[in-house]
Amino acid sequence: MSDNEITYGTTNVFADLGLPDAGERQIKTRLAIAVNDLLKIRHLKQREISVLLGISQPKVSALKNYSLDVFSVERLMEFLTALNQDVEIMIRPRATQGEVGHISVFAVQCA
């Protein structure tokens, strides 16, 4: 590869890095971004976040630093509902036949 050659990635940086469970990692990250955005808007202290989300302060720190191995996708969705957000899951047929489906997370402006 020359210095001027550009390598394009996919829409999942975790897959591009060859990490296991890339899809789950991407979902967790997108959910955690939404949670952290809401927490930032509310200017809550870690102690307050701990009480609101029902987790220990070390886990609050893990969440804020995107160390997400200790959280399931379901738990991150529960955090969003605790922050007065609705979480919807939509299942639909794949537009292109013969391809494997995928999971996407879209967050509307958090407030």
Side-chain angles (χ1 to χ4, degrees), residues 24-41:
E24 182 178 0
R25 288 173 187 260
Q26 184 177 39
I27 292 166
K28 284 182 176 185
T29 300
R30 289 188 176 169
L31 291 169
I33 288 169
V35 171
N36 282 325
D37 285 350
L38 288 162
L39 295 173
K40 194 178 299 182
I41 289 168

Side-chain angles (χ1 to χ4, degrees), residues 83-98:
L83 292 164
N84 299 323
Q85 303 298 299
D86 290 330
V87 177
E88 297 178 5
I89 299 173
M90 178 175 57
I91 301 169
R92 61 183 170 161
R94 179 97 176 127
T96 309
Q97 294 298 320

Side-chain angles (χ1 to χ4, degrees), residues 4 9-10 15 17 24 30 32 45-46 51 55 57-58 61 67 73 79 81 83-84 99 103 108 110-111:
N4 295 331
T10 66
L17 294 171
E24 182 178 0
R30 289 188 176 169
K45 295 183 169 108
Q46 282 200 5
V51 171
I55 58 176
Q57 286 186 357
S61 180
S67 297
V73 169
F79 295 162
T81 61
L83 292 164
N84 299 323
E99 292 185 19
I103 298 173
V108 179
C110 296

Side-chain angles (χ1 to χ4, degrees), residues 4-29:
N4 295 331
E5 190 172 333
I6 296 173
T7 302
Y8 293 94
T10 66
T11 58
N12 186 335
V13 68
F14 301 108
D16 294 341
L17 294 171
L19 296 175
D21 302 325
E24 182 178 0
R25 288 173 187 260
Q26 184 177 39
I27 292 166
K28 284 182 176 185
T29 300

Side-chain angles (χ1 to χ4, degrees), residues 49-109:
I49 295 168
S50 175
V51 171
L52 178 63
L53 300 182
I55 58 176
S56 66
Q57 286 186 357
K59 285 192 177 181
V60 171
S61 180
L63 176 64
K64 291 175 97 29
N65 290 306
Y66 296 93
S67 297
L68 303 176
D69 289 339
V70 297
F71 302 108
S72 66
V73 169
E74 180 180 16
R75 191 70 175 122
L76 292 165
M77 290 189 294
E78 289 172 358
F79 295 162
L80 288 166
T81 61
L83 292 164
N84 299 323
Q85 303 298 299
D86 290 330
V87 177
E88 297 178 5
I89 299 173
M90 178 175 57
I91 301 169
R92 61 183 170 161
R94 179 97 176 127
T96 309
Q97 294 298 320
E99 292 185 19
V100 175
H102 70 278
I103 298 173
S104 301
V105 175
F106 301 97
V108 179
Q109 180 68 33

